[in-house]
Amino acid sequence: MTLLEVDRLTVRFRGLTAVDGVSLAVAEGEFVAIIGPNGAGKTTLFNVIAGSLRPSAGEIRFAGRPVAGLGAARMSQLGVGRTFQVARPFGSLTVRENVRLAAGRHYLANPLAAWGRRGRDREVEARVAHLLAVTGLVGLADRRAADLNMGGLRRLEIARALALEPRLLLLDEPAAGLGVDGIRPLAELIRSLRSQHLTVLLVEHHVGFALSLCDRVVVLDQGKKIFEGTPEAVRRDERVITAYLGESGAGEGAMSGGD
Ligand SMILES: Nc1ncnc2c1ncn2[C@@H]1O[C@H](COP(=O)(O)OP(=O)(O)OP(=O)(O)O)[C@@H](O)[C@H]1O
Ligand SMILES: [Mg+2]
């Protein structure tokens, strides 16, 4: 089943066309990477899918229904979760409190929650414990979010998104700012999400990392989709190589690097 359908989507900011007629479909359970140079329109595309930005033209369907312009709160209720390129936790709260806040909000918003207050608190605590375990944050649970290193922040960002029990998870550059030591466990964590029947869209500058995780790759350049195919095919595509390497040949490692 197709979970997400983006149809000829365009986003203009005054004179600039940030996303230019992009179409793509993501099946339930699929893992799709979106790569492309700086300013290609990757985050803008995420913002539209997550509901925080209204497209200038085009349509988005989620689980078969048109959703463009519904707003971020509604999209999150419908099952679209996201992480941000710049992590946004509450710095003065602990890791556990941050995750609890996200999980608690989700349970409050759930109209089917028939249990009483005490039952709900127990449900939330169980959920928080599970999320901390899944994201490898148990040892950091009582640390203030502001004191986390980049790897911890990225994990917390993922835990908070998972707290909303999304069907579709949008990850915007989860590996940004991480060294090899941080990237390897993050890859493990992201891989483990697959076994939870999540559908994942991953935006990433670490191309080797993204290609090692995904089923399919979409390449954006200056707002346009210039390639779509398997991770193997993308490494050989001339347009992609040109978009990444430019005239100089700089950045060769970006296409070949592993995680
Ligand atoms: N709110 C905005 N107002 C005006 N221009 C914007 C806005 N948001 C993004 N842009 C512009 O739209 C283009 C696409 O930006 P976007 O952030 O989507 O790129 P990106 O592919 O995520 O880049 P990066 O890899 O650097 O994160 C850029 O030229 C950017 O400057
Ligand atoms: Mg971006």
Side-chain angles (χ1 to χ4, degrees), residues 39 41-44 85 172-173 203 205:
K42 306 180 297 294
T43 297
T44 303
Q85 194 166 347
D172 197 353
E173 302 212 19
V203 161
H205 267 290

Side-chain angles (χ1 to χ4, degrees), residues 13-14 16-19 36-45 47 53 85 172-173 203 205 220:
F13 296 115
R14 288 175 226 95
L16 177 95
T17 305
V19 176
N38 286 118
K42 306 180 297 294
T43 297
T44 303
L45 178 62
N47 287 340
L53 198 64
Q85 194 166 347
D172 197 353
E173 302 212 19
V203 161
H205 267 290
L220 297 183

Side-chain angles (χ1 to χ4, degrees), residues 65-80:
R65 61 188 282 190
V67 293
L70 282 189
R74 187 77 188 109
M75 288 313 290
S76 144
Q77 271 176 4
L78 289 176
V80 178

Side-chain angles (χ1 to χ4, degrees), residues 160-205:
R160 295 200 318 150
L162 291 176
L164 307 175
E165 298 185 35
R167 286 176 78 181
L168 171 68
L169 180 63
L170 311 175
L171 298 171
D172 197 353
E173 302 212 19
L178 297 185
V180 181
D181 287 353
I183 287 182
R184 208 159 282 145
L186 182 73
E188 284 308 307
L189 164 55
I190 293 176
R191 253 184 220 114
S192 77
L193 300 177
R194 302 206 60 166
S195 53
Q196 299 169 40
H197 308 292
L198 259 176
T199 307
V200 181
L201 265 180
L202 167 73
V203 161
E204 208 21 270
H205 267 290

